[in-house]
Structure formats: C-alpha cells, structure tokens
Amino acid sequence: MKYSVVIPAYNEEGNISQLVAKISVVMNQLSPDWELIFIDDGSKDKTLEKMREERQKDSRVKIIRFRRNFGQSVGWQAGFDYATGEIVITMDADMQNDPADIPAMVKMVETGGYDVVSGWRSMRQDSLYIKFLSKIGNWLRRIVTGDKTHDHGCSLKVYKKECLDSIEFYSDLHRRYIAALLAWKGFKVGEMKTTHHARKYGQSKYSVRKKWKGLLDLLVVKFWMQYSTRPIHLFGSLGLAISGAGFLLGGTLSVLWLLRMISLQNRTTPLLAVLLVMIGLQLLMTGFIADTVSMTYYSTKRAYTVELLEGFEKPGE
Ligand code: UDP
Ligand code: MG
C-alpha cells in the first residue's frame, strides 16, 4: 500500500460524506493505491452509519470504531497500528483542513528529504480568542522545546511510516507535540503553509479548558525530552544539592554551637536544616523510582532511531 489517510472523528455526521468525496478526488490523482482509515472515536451521532455508507461505495474506506471516546491522538495511534501505507497522512474529520494540500506535502516527504511535514494554518479560521491562546501556546512551546515550527496543533501532517514506530502515545498528550518529539528523535521535520476553513458542520470538541491543559502537557514534554532516559540526573542533582545545603547548614550551626558562639534555643534554623536534608533525600528517592520506571520502559524500546543501515540483510530478504 502506498498511502494511508488516517482520520479520527467524534460526532462528525455532517462532514463524513463530503470529506470522503474531496479526499478521493485528491488521492486518486496521486495514485489508486490508497486507503482511508476512519477511527470513530465513540461517536454518539450517526458518524458510524455515514462511514459505513462510504465503505459500501468504496472498499478502500476502512473503519475502526472505539468502544468509547478516547481522544484524537489515541485515534491516530489506532490508525497507525492498522495503516499499511508507506506514507501516512493525518487530518481532521471536520473539513477544516483541505485535502488539496496533501499532494504538495506528500512530495516534500517523497522527494524533498523530509520524514514528516506538518501543516501550518497561517490563515487560521477560528475565533480570535482561540487564535490568541494558540499563539501563546506556540510561542511557549518554541521557547521551552527550542522547536522552530510555527503551528503544531495542525492535524494535517504527512509521515513516513518509519517515524510512526517512534511515537510514544500517552493519552491525548501528544496531540500538539508529535512533530516536536519526532524532531527531538532526529527525524527531519518540515512545514508547509496550508489552507484552513471555518467549521461548517458540528461543533469543536476542544473546550478552552482543555486547551489550557496543553500548557501542563508542555512541561511534561519538556521533562520527557530532557530526562526521560535518566530522570535520576534531575532528581538526583536537585536532591543532593538540597540535602547538601541542609547538611552544611546543620554542620555550621553545630560547630558554632559547640564553640558556644550561638545558642540554639528558640531558633528555627536547625529545623530548616533538618527539613532541607529530608526534602533532599525524598527527591533522591523519587529519582531512584523514576529511573527504575524509565529502565523498565526503555528495556522494551529502543532509545535510538536509525537513518541508514548498510551491509545488513533485512530479515526475510
Ligand atoms: N476528535 C476526536 N475525538 C475527540 C475529539 C476530537 O476524534 O475526542 C476529532 C474531531 O472529530 C475532529 C478533530 O478531532 O476531526 C479535531 O477536533 P475539533 O475540530 O473539535 O478541534 P478544533 O479544530 O476545534 O481544535
Ligand atoms: Mg476543527
């Protein structure tokens, strides 16, 4: 299979049939060898029925239905698990992304040397408030992760299949950070300005409250990038520094007290020394636990990504 288009949809009954029509036209121009994988993310409206209608018309349309609502990025994960294309394309089901952008993005991946190309909604059609929030979000992300891409919230993305094995999905966390994480893993990430339409049918599923959660996600992603392999380096150094300060303070106080230079009656500093030592030790212990968790995780994963292999025979060839 050459191309897989992966589309999670949650209560999008009004969009499915037009979406498939638009995608079919574009994909057929690229190649007849494509599949469209819909993930019905536990919709409560007629989304599944609409998907089935499309599948009856064209068996290249495939359906995964979740038992309940899991969130868009979990939908992508399922789509990636079942996709057989060498190139995988993701986009929204609500027709805010324009399939007409796909061919140029695919070209960047096929011949432009990119592993991932991310859409950039340079003329975004959403409310001012949402655009403002997303500006702040993108700005913070750029500062914290050092990543230069303009718009990571855009679902329209084109991936080489081998990138997908390297994405660790974790709840809905990585919706915005997939490209940043792939860049961090050493994949070449590009971006392309894409068209963005206002939503015509159905409602946005992301409340503003949910969007704020993205800020916390950013901290997690930063931590993940910097310390996921060795969390003890963070917790350990903090812990040792803090308990070291506690020991130093306690030691100084003890010496001064022994020399009868100070009295310790009614003083809070000894308490502070004990507190620092204890907090420091707690942090150190947290580091050990975190490191053990990491060790367990990475023992089943590879911590590296390979760009090229020479002189090896692939199994089965
Ligand atoms: N979506 C999903 N599961 C969810 C929420 C959203 O599959 O729990 C899909 C939704 O159907 C749409 C895409 O994710 O195709 C983006 O959602 P939405 O348009 O509501 O987000 P916005 O464009 O407002 O950020
Ligand atoms: Mg939308």
Side-chain angles (χ1 to χ4, degrees):
M1 179 73 57
K2 215 158 172 182
Y3 304 109
S4 301
V5 183
V6 170
I7 305 185
Y10 179 52
N11 295 344
E12 302 283 4
E13 58 181 10
N15 290 307
I16 301 294
S17 65
Q18 282 187 46
L19 180 71
V20 175
K22 278 187 160 184
I23 291 177
S24 302
V25 172
V26 171
M27 294 310 294
N28 282 332
Q29 284 165 2
L30 276 175
S31 148
D33 191 20
W34 55 268
E35 62 181 354
L36 195 173
I37 302 179
F38 270 128
I39 299 90
D40 176 7
D41 189 10
S43 298
K44 293 177 185 70
D45 64 357
K46 293 207 163 51
T47 299
L48 180 64
E49 279 95 317
K50 295 286 176 192
M51 289 173 178
R52 284 193 164 139
E53 276 171 25
E54 295 308 317
R55 175 158 171 73
Q56 295 225 304
K57 286 189 243 162
D58 188 341
S59 62
R60 289 177 295 186
V61 175
K62 298 168 188 178
I63 306 167
I64 300 169
R65 169 152 166 101
F66 283 167
R67 288 187 189 275
R68 67 162 170 86
N69 179 250
F70 282 94
Q72 189 183 14
S73 34
V74 183
W76 283 331
Q77 180 178 27
F80 295 164
D81 284 343
Y82 287 90
T84 51
E86 289 152 34
I87 293 205
V88 178
I89 300 144
T90 58
M91 62 189 290
D92 281 348
D94 58 1
M95 297 203 290
Q96 288 199 265
N97 301 129
D98 198 326
D101 288 318
I102 294 175
M105 294 172 78
V106 164
K107 203 170 162 205
M108 282 175 78
V109 171
E110 280 180 337
T111 55
Y114 288 98
D115 298 303
V116 192
V117 173
S118 179
W120 168 14
R121 298 164 292 178
S122 58
M123 305 280 274
R124 196 168 168 185
Q125 304 298 320
D126 280 315
S127 72
L128 270 179
Y129 184 46
I130 293 295
K131 282 197 275 194
F132 171 69
L133 283 187
S134 124
K135 272 246 157 24
I136 298 181
N138 278 318
W139 174 73
L140 276 175
R141 177 179 44 70
R142 245 173 283 157
I143 291 179
V144 174
T145 63
D147 175 68
K148 302 279 184 296
T149 318
H150 291 85
D151 175 17
H152 272 176
C154 184
S155 303
L156 179 54
K157 288 190 171 66
V158 176
Y159 302 88
K160 260 187 204 155
K161 180 136 182 74
E162 61 246 45
C163 304
L164 303 178
D165 304 330
S166 293
I167 304 176
E168 289 102 358
F169 279 96
Y170 166 57
S171 172
D172 217 10
L173 166 73
H174 292 170
R175 194 173 100 88
R176 296 167 210 79
Y177 303 115
I178 289 179
L181 284 163
L182 284 176
W184 169 65
K185 294 224 171 196
F187 291 102
K188 195 157 177 234
V189 180
E191 61 181 337
M192 202 192 88
K193 282 191 182 174
T194 53
T195 317
H196 193 242
H197 302 288
R199 194 188 244 279
K200 268 199 253 167
Y201 309 100
Q203 280 164 357
S204 170
K205 312 302 178 304
Y206 294 103
S207 62
V208 169
R209 188 169 52 87
K210 268 193 177 166
K211 292 198 190 272
W212 281 112
K213 285 189 188 162
L215 289 185
L216 290 176
D217 288 356
L218 179 62
L219 296 180
V220 175
V221 167
K222 172 72 176 170
F223 176 78
W224 181 261
M225 286 180 171
Q226 207 149 356
Y227 297 108
S228 70
T229 41
R230 298 312 310 277
I232 188 72
H233 291 175
L234 173 70
F235 290 110
S237 12
L238 262 180
L240 287 179
I242 291 178
S243 54
F247 273 119
L248 212 67
L249 182 63
T252 318
L253 287 176
S254 313
V255 170
L256 292 178
W257 177 71
L258 282 173
L259 295 175
R260 297 182 190 281
M261 287 169 74
I262 54 166
S263 135
L264 289 182
Q265 258 166 5
N266 298 326
R267 273 181 169 261
T268 45
T269 24
L271 205 63
L272 182 68
V274 174
L275 206 66
L276 286 176
V277 171
M278 279 172 60
I279 292 174
L281 289 180
Q282 289 281 356
L283 276 173
L284 192 64
M285 291 303 145
T286 311
F288 286 139
I289 295 173
D291 224 54
T292 313
V293 174
S294 255
M295 224 181 324
T296 323
Y297 176 79
Y298 277 105
S299 63
T300 60
K301 286 250 177 196
R302 296 274 77 83
Y304 57 81
T305 51
V306 173
E307 184 171 357
L308 190 88
L309 287 175
E310 277 180 22
F312 294 95
E313 269 174 45
K314 267 200 203 156
E317 270 180 11

